[in-house]
Amino acid sequence: MTFTRPSLTPKTPSLTKTATSMLRCQIGKGQYLIPLVKVREIIRYVTPTPVPQTAAWVNGVMNLRGRVIPVIDLAVKFSEGASVPDEWTCIVLVDVELHGELTTLGLVTTLVSEIHDLQPQDLEPPPSVGTQIRVEFLQGLFKLDQGFALALDLDRILSSNEQVAVSLLASEGASSPAS
């Protein structure tokens, strides 16, 4: 009797090579998509430690397994009210490139809902009007059964000056003794 190992290659060509997996979440009142390759993990909301003299959208920093993680509320950055934490609120830890260095940020989300595998044709160009978000922050627009979700470009969500400020938060915390 002979056993053969099943083939690990698909028998039919797959379109998944061009697909992008996106995590859908609610930030403020809007539905947003975050590239899954940027997501490090999703954790239950913990109140960040405030840092004086930071932008209103910086909630503070959190200690995650000995690492200092800046936590930002994109709802405030997108000109909405601050997120009000409840039992569904999470912090999505994402890796973004800030001044050429990979930095982990915590994004406050009021709800994490599902993952979508999107083909390039599923994303429409970002809307030039009708959102409070600058177009350069977006990869595109995805049609949902009810409404739309905006696909975020996390590497461009912070301006150059904002990147410096957030990088300093992470690096100063990393060089400070843990409390």
Short mmCIF file of all heavy atoms in Angstrom, two decimals, residues 111-143:
data_model
loop_
_atom_site.label_atom_id
_atom_site.label_comp_id
_atom_site.label_asym_id
_atom_site.label_seq_id
_atom_site.Cartn_x
_atom_site.Cartn_y
_atom_site.Cartn_z
N LEU A 111 -15.63 49.18 17.98
CA LEU A 111 -16.14 47.85 17.66
C LEU A 111 -15.26 47.25 16.56
O LEU A 111 -14.94 47.91 15.58
CB LEU A 111 -17.58 47.93 17.14
CG LEU A 111 -18.26 46.63 16.74
CD1 LEU A 111 -18.48 45.74 17.95
CD2 LEU A 111 -19.59 46.93 16.07
N VAL A 112 -14.85 46.00 16.74
CA VAL A 112 -14.16 45.25 15.69
C VAL A 112 -15.16 44.23 15.19
O VAL A 112 -15.74 43.48 15.98
CB VAL A 112 -12.90 44.55 16.24
CG1 VAL A 112 -12.29 43.62 15.22
CG2 VAL A 112 -11.88 45.58 16.70
N SER A 113 -15.42 44.21 13.87
CA SER A 113 -16.50 43.36 13.40
C SER A 113 -16.09 42.15 12.58
O SER A 113 -16.48 41.04 12.91
CB SER A 113 -17.55 44.18 12.65
OG SER A 113 -16.96 44.96 11.66
N GLU A 114 -15.32 42.31 11.51
CA GLU A 114 -15.02 41.15 10.67
C GLU A 114 -13.83 41.42 9.77
O GLU A 114 -13.33 42.53 9.70
CB GLU A 114 -16.23 40.76 9.83
CG GLU A 114 -16.71 41.84 8.89
CD GLU A 114 -18.04 41.47 8.22
OE1 GLU A 114 -18.14 40.37 7.67
OE2 GLU A 114 -18.95 42.30 8.27
N ILE A 115 -13.41 40.36 9.07
CA ILE A 115 -12.31 40.47 8.11
C ILE A 115 -12.88 40.30 6.71
O ILE A 115 -13.70 39.42 6.47
CB ILE A 115 -11.24 39.40 8.39
CG1 ILE A 115 -10.59 39.68 9.75
CG2 ILE A 115 -10.20 39.37 7.27
CD1 ILE A 115 -9.62 38.62 10.20
N HIS A 116 -12.46 41.17 5.80
CA HIS A 116 -12.87 41.10 4.40
C HIS A 116 -11.64 40.81 3.55
O HIS A 116 -10.59 41.42 3.75
CB HIS A 116 -13.46 42.45 3.93
CG HIS A 116 -14.70 42.85 4.62
ND1 HIS A 116 -15.95 42.41 4.25
CD2 HIS A 116 -14.91 43.65 5.69
CE1 HIS A 116 -16.87 42.93 5.03
NE2 HIS A 116 -16.27 43.68 5.93
N ASP A 117 -11.76 39.87 2.63
CA ASP A 117 -10.71 39.63 1.64
C ASP A 117 -11.12 40.39 0.38
O ASP A 117 -12.08 40.02 -0.29
CB ASP A 117 -10.57 38.13 1.35
CG ASP A 117 -9.95 37.39 2.52
OD1 ASP A 117 -9.05 37.96 3.17
OD2 ASP A 117 -10.37 36.26 2.79
N LEU A 118 -10.40 41.46 0.11
CA LEU A 118 -10.76 42.35 -0.99
C LEU A 118 -9.84 42.19 -2.18
O LEU A 118 -8.62 42.12 -2.03
CB LEU A 118 -10.71 43.81 -0.52
CG LEU A 118 -11.54 44.17 0.70
CD1 LEU A 118 -11.34 45.64 1.04
CD2 LEU A 118 -13.00 43.88 0.46
N GLN A 119 -10.44 42.14 -3.35
CA GLN A 119 -9.69 42.19 -4.60
C GLN A 119 -9.49 43.67 -4.95
O GLN A 119 -10.25 44.53 -4.49
CB GLN A 119 -10.49 41.49 -5.71
CG GLN A 119 -10.77 40.03 -5.44
CD GLN A 119 -9.49 39.20 -5.41
OE1 GLN A 119 -8.53 39.48 -6.12
NE2 GLN A 119 -9.49 38.15 -4.60
N PRO A 120 -8.49 43.99 -5.74
CA PRO A 120 -8.27 45.40 -6.10
C PRO A 120 -9.52 46.08 -6.66
O PRO A 120 -9.77 47.25 -6.38
CB PRO A 120 -7.16 45.33 -7.14
CG PRO A 120 -6.43 44.07 -6.83
CD PRO A 120 -7.47 43.12 -6.32
N GLN A 121 -10.33 45.35 -7.43
CA GLN A 121 -11.53 45.96 -8.02
C GLN A 121 -12.63 46.21 -6.97
O GLN A 121 -13.59 46.92 -7.26
CB GLN A 121 -12.07 45.10 -9.18
CG GLN A 121 -12.57 43.73 -8.79
CD GLN A 121 -11.51 42.64 -8.85
OE1 GLN A 121 -10.32 42.91 -8.84
NE2 GLN A 121 -11.95 41.40 -8.89
N ASP A 122 -12.50 45.64 -5.77
CA ASP A 122 -13.49 45.87 -4.71
C ASP A 122 -13.36 47.26 -4.09
O ASP A 122 -14.30 47.76 -3.48
CB ASP A 122 -13.35 44.83 -3.59
CG ASP A 122 -13.71 43.43 -4.05
OD1 ASP A 122 -14.48 43.29 -5.03
OD2 ASP A 122 -13.22 42.47 -3.44
N LEU A 123 -12.18 47.85 -4.20
CA LEU A 123 -11.95 49.18 -3.64
C LEU A 123 -12.14 50.24 -4.71
O LEU A 123 -11.54 50.16 -5.78
CB LEU A 123 -10.54 49.30 -3.07
CG LEU A 123 -10.29 48.70 -1.70
CD1 LEU A 123 -8.83 48.85 -1.31
CD2 LEU A 123 -11.18 49.28 -0.65
N GLU A 124 -12.96 51.20 -4.40
CA GLU A 124 -13.15 52.34 -5.29
C GLU A 124 -12.21 53.45 -4.84
O GLU A 124 -11.77 53.46 -3.69
CB GLU A 124 -14.60 52.80 -5.25
CG GLU A 124 -15.56 51.74 -5.78
CD GLU A 124 -17.00 52.23 -5.83
OE1 GLU A 124 -17.24 53.44 -5.70
OE2 GLU A 124 -17.87 51.37 -5.98
N PRO A 125 -11.92 54.41 -5.71
CA PRO A 125 -11.05 55.52 -5.29
C PRO A 125 -11.65 56.24 -4.08
O PRO A 125 -12.87 56.27 -3.92
CB PRO A 125 -11.02 56.43 -6.52
CG PRO A 125 -11.45 55.59 -7.66
CD PRO A 125 -12.35 54.53 -7.09
N PRO A 126 -10.79 56.82 -3.25
CA PRO A 126 -11.30 57.55 -2.09
C PRO A 126 -12.21 58.70 -2.52
O PRO A 126 -11.94 59.34 -3.54
CB PRO A 126 -10.05 58.09 -1.41
CG PRO A 126 -8.91 57.36 -1.99
CD PRO A 126 -9.34 56.86 -3.33
N PRO A 127 -13.25 58.96 -1.76
CA PRO A 127 -14.13 60.08 -2.12
C PRO A 127 -13.42 61.40 -1.90
O PRO A 127 -12.68 61.56 -0.94
CB PRO A 127 -15.31 59.92 -1.15
CG PRO A 127 -14.75 59.16 0.01
CD PRO A 127 -13.67 58.28 -0.55
N SER A 128 -13.62 62.34 -2.81
CA SER A 128 -12.96 63.64 -2.67
C SER A 128 -13.80 64.59 -1.82
O SER A 128 -13.29 65.59 -1.33
CB SER A 128 -12.69 64.26 -4.04
OG SER A 128 -13.90 64.35 -4.77
N VAL A 129 -15.07 64.28 -1.62
CA VAL A 129 -15.95 65.08 -0.76
C VAL A 129 -16.79 64.14 0.09
O VAL A 129 -16.91 62.96 -0.20
CB VAL A 129 -16.88 66.01 -1.58
CG1 VAL A 129 -16.10 67.04 -2.34
CG2 VAL A 129 -17.76 65.20 -2.52
N GLY A 130 -17.36 64.68 1.15
CA GLY A 130 -18.30 63.91 1.95
C GLY A 130 -17.70 63.19 3.13
O GLY A 130 -18.40 62.50 3.85
N THR A 131 -16.38 63.32 3.36
CA THR A 131 -15.80 62.72 4.56
C THR A 131 -15.00 63.80 5.27
O THR A 131 -14.58 64.79 4.66
CB THR A 131 -14.86 61.54 4.26
OG1 THR A 131 -13.62 62.03 3.79
CG2 THR A 131 -15.45 60.57 3.27
N GLN A 132 -14.78 63.58 6.56
CA GLN A 132 -13.98 64.53 7.34
C GLN A 132 -12.50 64.17 7.29
O GLN A 132 -11.68 64.84 7.88
CB GLN A 132 -14.47 64.54 8.79
CG GLN A 132 -15.90 65.01 8.92
CD GLN A 132 -16.43 64.82 10.33
OE1 GLN A 132 -16.15 63.83 10.97
NE2 GLN A 132 -17.21 65.76 10.78
N ILE A 133 -12.19 63.10 6.59
CA ILE A 133 -10.82 62.59 6.54
C ILE A 133 -10.14 63.06 5.27
O ILE A 133 -10.74 63.06 4.20
CB ILE A 133 -10.84 61.05 6.57
CG1 ILE A 133 -11.58 60.57 7.79
CG2 ILE A 133 -9.45 60.49 6.53
CD1 ILE A 133 -11.85 59.11 7.77
N ARG A 134 -8.89 63.43 5.40
CA ARG A 134 -8.13 63.82 4.22
C ARG A 134 -7.92 62.62 3.31
O ARG A 134 -7.64 61.52 3.77
CB ARG A 134 -6.81 64.44 4.65
CG ARG A 134 -7.05 65.74 5.40
CD ARG A 134 -5.84 66.51 5.84
NE ARG A 134 -4.57 66.12 5.31
CZ ARG A 134 -3.44 66.28 5.97
NH1 ARG A 134 -3.43 66.81 7.16
NH2 ARG A 134 -2.31 65.92 5.44
N VAL A 135 -8.06 62.82 2.03
CA VAL A 135 -8.01 61.75 1.04
C VAL A 135 -6.69 60.98 1.09
O VAL A 135 -6.68 59.76 0.90
CB VAL A 135 -8.26 62.32 -0.38
CG1 VAL A 135 -8.11 61.25 -1.44
CG2 VAL A 135 -9.64 62.93 -0.46
N GLU A 136 -5.60 61.64 1.40
CA GLU A 136 -4.31 60.93 1.41
C GLU A 136 -4.21 59.91 2.55
O GLU A 136 -3.31 59.08 2.56
CB GLU A 136 -3.13 61.91 1.45
CG GLU A 136 -3.10 62.81 2.66
CD GLU A 136 -3.76 64.16 2.44
OE1 GLU A 136 -4.56 64.30 1.51
OE2 GLU A 136 -3.47 65.08 3.21
N PHE A 137 -5.14 59.93 3.51
CA PHE A 137 -5.17 58.94 4.59
C PHE A 137 -5.81 57.64 4.13
O PHE A 137 -5.80 56.66 4.85
CB PHE A 137 -6.00 59.44 5.77
CG PHE A 137 -5.44 60.62 6.51
CD1 PHE A 137 -6.21 61.23 7.48
CD2 PHE A 137 -4.19 61.14 6.26
CE1 PHE A 137 -5.73 62.33 8.19
CE2 PHE A 137 -3.70 62.23 6.96
CZ PHE A 137 -4.47 62.81 7.93
N LEU A 138 -6.39 57.63 2.93
CA LEU A 138 -7.23 56.52 2.50
C LEU A 138 -6.64 55.76 1.32
O LEU A 138 -6.02 56.34 0.44
CB LEU A 138 -8.62 57.04 2.10
CG LEU A 138 -9.38 57.83 3.16
CD1 LEU A 138 -10.66 58.39 2.57
CD2 LEU A 138 -9.68 56.96 4.36
N GLN A 139 -6.89 54.44 1.32
CA GLN A 139 -6.56 53.60 0.17
C GLN A 139 -7.75 53.54 -0.78
O GLN A 139 -7.59 53.36 -1.97
CB GLN A 139 -6.23 52.19 0.61
CG GLN A 139 -4.95 52.05 1.37
CD GLN A 139 -4.71 50.60 1.77
OE1 GLN A 139 -5.47 49.70 1.45
NE2 GLN A 139 -3.63 50.38 2.48
N GLY A 140 -8.94 53.66 -0.22
CA GLY A 140 -10.13 53.58 -1.06
C GLY A 140 -11.39 53.41 -0.24
O GLY A 140 -11.39 53.53 0.98
N LEU A 141 -12.46 53.08 -0.95
CA LEU A 141 -13.79 52.96 -0.38
C LEU A 141 -14.33 51.58 -0.75
O LEU A 141 -14.22 51.14 -1.88
CB LEU A 141 -14.67 54.05 -1.00
CG LEU A 141 -16.12 54.13 -0.62
CD1 LEU A 141 -16.24 54.73 0.78
CD2 LEU A 141 -16.85 55.04 -1.61
N PHE A 142 -14.90 50.88 0.22
CA PHE A 142 -15.44 49.54 0.01
C PHE A 142 -16.94 49.58 0.29
O PHE A 142 -17.38 50.05 1.32
CB PHE A 142 -14.74 48.55 0.95
CG PHE A 142 -15.29 47.16 0.90
CD1 PHE A 142 -15.22 46.39 -0.25
CD2 PHE A 142 -15.88 46.60 2.02
CE1 PHE A 142 -15.71 45.10 -0.28
CE2 PHE A 142 -16.38 45.30 2.00
CZ PHE A 142 -16.29 44.56 0.84
N LYS A 143 -17.72 49.06 -0.66
CA LYS A 143 -19.18 49.00 -0.49
C LYS A 143 -19.55 47.84 0.41
O LYS A 143 -19.15 46.70 0.17
CB LYS A 143 -19.88 48.83 -1.84
CG LYS A 143 -19.80 50.03 -2.73
CD LYS A 143 -20.55 49.77 -4.02
CE LYS A 143 -20.31 50.91 -5.00
NZ LYS A 143 -20.96 50.67 -6.28
#
